[in-house]
Amino acid sequence: MTAPTALLAMGPGIAEQLFGARQRARLTALVDTDPGLVAHRLAGPTPEVARALAGAELLITCWGAPPLTAEVLAAAPRLRAVVHAAGSVKHHITPACWERGLRVTSAAGANALPVAEYTLAAILLAGKNVLPAARRYRELRAPHDWRAELAGHGNYRRCVGIVGASRIGRRVIELLRPFDLEVLLFDPYVDAGTAARLGAEQVGLDELCARSRIVSVHAPELPATRHMIGAAQLAAMPDGATLINTSRGSLIDGDALLPELVSGRLNAVLDVTEPEVPPASSPLYDLPNVLLTPHVAGSLGDEIHRLADFALDEVARYASGLPFADPVTPEDLTRRA
């Protein structure tokens, strides 16, 4: 069987992070490609990229992949499939791709694993009130009655609310099973029976916020989910509760959240914000009750090789004439990030 011809298309420096020596060897064994040729743009490409694009049956993409517009597809007459070695495909898969009938797959499931692990750590640390306690310890630098000060905290029968039964949300619920926690779930597409099978109690969003000491957001970024956590939901959260966001900044009304954090009534673990990087003057950088991280919950470092391995598994399926293990359809994009 002749190996399919493939082209890598992603942002500068991404291919070097994605493919280690083992992955590069497997890549070249599976497809006819030049791993040193990476297309950073496909509209108005270099002659070398243009030739590779014209002969490519398969595109392997990752972060920073250029949009596959109708113009680009016209220059790729043999293109049949796109394997995305990252999460969302919304940034580069255009309507023209579906009109062309391209097969698309994504490593979103693989990328969900480190996000869920980050979230688990954040939930358990929030339950112990670790962030404020650590800062206060730094201030006191002396013996103190910590049992008395932290009497209202701990992870026994703590109520945790999961917003969104996405891949990540479901994985978080799975990771929480060994712990003595009460888990609530809000997702308009999940019924009570499904929630129970996942290991959670189905509730409305307002009830989830009112009952949970920790609220973790895992819904997709869609027009309908913009600012789904707004002033009313934040006001419903108990004093001292923690809000965790590893999804997208737009899901939380930042103007409503900031006063709650500045007052100290709520705590937050924010891996994503709106805008993506807060302005230098933002109080979020210095508030003692906020853990602000630079969108690192997803795959990084050696975790990126997991994405490559998943993508190469999908390439192997394609080369063998098998269906993708995790295909993406146009309908999926109305409910996925």
Side-chain angles (χ1 to χ4, degrees), residues 125 128-142 144 146 149-150 288-289 291:
L125 290 175
K128 301 279 281 189
N129 204 41
V130 164
L131 181 61
R135 290 183 181 273
R136 182 145 162 74
Y137 193 24
R138 185 180 304 123
E139 294 167 359
L140 292 174
R141 304 182 185 224
H144 183 67
W146 292 106
E149 179 156 330
L150 300 174
N289 52 326
L291 176 60

Side-chain angles (χ1 to χ4, degrees), residues 20-114:
R22 177 174 58 82
Q23 285 87 7
R24 283 195 297 273
R26 188 179 179 205
L27 173 66
T28 53
L30 285 171
V31 294
D32 178 9
T33 190
D34 176 1
L37 177 63
V38 181
H40 306 315
R41 69 176 192 272
L42 293 173
T46 65
E48 191 177 18
V49 168
R51 285 192 297 272
L53 180 62
E57 183 179 344
L58 185 68
L59 276 184
I60 301 173
T61 62
C62 194
W63 298 301
L68 303 182
T69 61
E71 175 191 359
V72 169
L73 295 181
R78 298 187 65 242
L79 188 63
R80 297 292 177 267
V82 179
V83 174
H84 189 52
S88 177
V89 301
K90 289 182 178 180
H91 303 293
H92 66 296
I93 297 297
T94 68
C97 296
W98 306 121
E99 293 168 9
R100 172 78 163 265
L102 294 185
R103 295 168 57 189
V104 179
T105 182
S106 160
N111 193 50
L113 300 180

Side-chain angles (χ1 to χ4, degrees), residues 61-248:
T61 62
C62 194
W63 298 301
L68 303 182
T69 61
E71 175 191 359
V72 169
L73 295 181
R78 298 187 65 242
L79 188 63
R80 297 292 177 267
V82 179
V83 174
H84 189 52
S88 177
V89 301
K90 289 182 178 180
H91 303 293
H92 66 296
I93 297 297
T94 68
C97 296
W98 306 121
E99 293 168 9
R100 172 78 163 265
L102 294 185
R103 295 168 57 189
V104 179
T105 182
S106 160
N111 193 50
L113 300 180
V115 181
E117 292 164 358
Y118 174 107
T119 303
L120 172 65
I123 288 171
L124 296 177
L125 290 175
K128 301 279 281 189
N129 204 41
V130 164
L131 181 61
R135 290 183 181 273
R136 182 145 162 74
Y137 193 24
R138 185 180 304 123
E139 294 167 359
L140 292 174
R141 304 182 185 224
H144 183 67
D145 188 353
W146 292 106
R147 293 185 183 278
E149 179 156 330
L150 300 174
H153 300 279
N155 285 313
Y156 181 62
R157 303 290 173 87
R158 178 72 60 184
C159 187
V160 177
I162 304 299
V163 178
S166 61
R167 297 169 188 268
I168 298 169
R170 290 171 186 244
R171 178 61 175 164
V172 170
I173 294 172
E174 181 181 356
L175 292 177
L176 291 174
R177 284 177 188 164
F179 303 97
D180 290 314
L181 296 166
E182 178 185 3
V183 180
L184 308 181
L185 173 64
F186 167 73
D187 189 305
Y189 298 102
V190 172
D191 59 29
T194 301
R197 287 190 291 274
L198 291 173
E201 175 188 351
Q202 181 207 38
V203 296
L205 180 58
D206 291 348
E207 181 181 349
L208 180 147
C209 291
R211 289 174 56 185
S212 301
R213 294 290 300 183
I214 301 167
V215 174
S216 191
V217 181
H218 303 288
E221 184 177 43
L222 303 169
T225 60
R226 178 171 177 79
H227 291 182
M228 67 184 301
I229 306 293
Q233 290 72 35
L234 294 167
M237 292 176 65
D239 291 353
T242 297
L243 178 65
I244 300 170
N245 190 10
T246 57
S247 181
R248 291 292 186 269

Side-chain angles (χ1 to χ4, degrees), residues 18-19 60 83-85 107 306-316:
L18 185 66
F19 297 110
I60 301 173
V83 174
H84 189 52
R306 179 192 282 127
L307 305 182
D309 286 336
F310 178 88
L312 291 173
D313 286 345
E314 292 287 65
V315 170

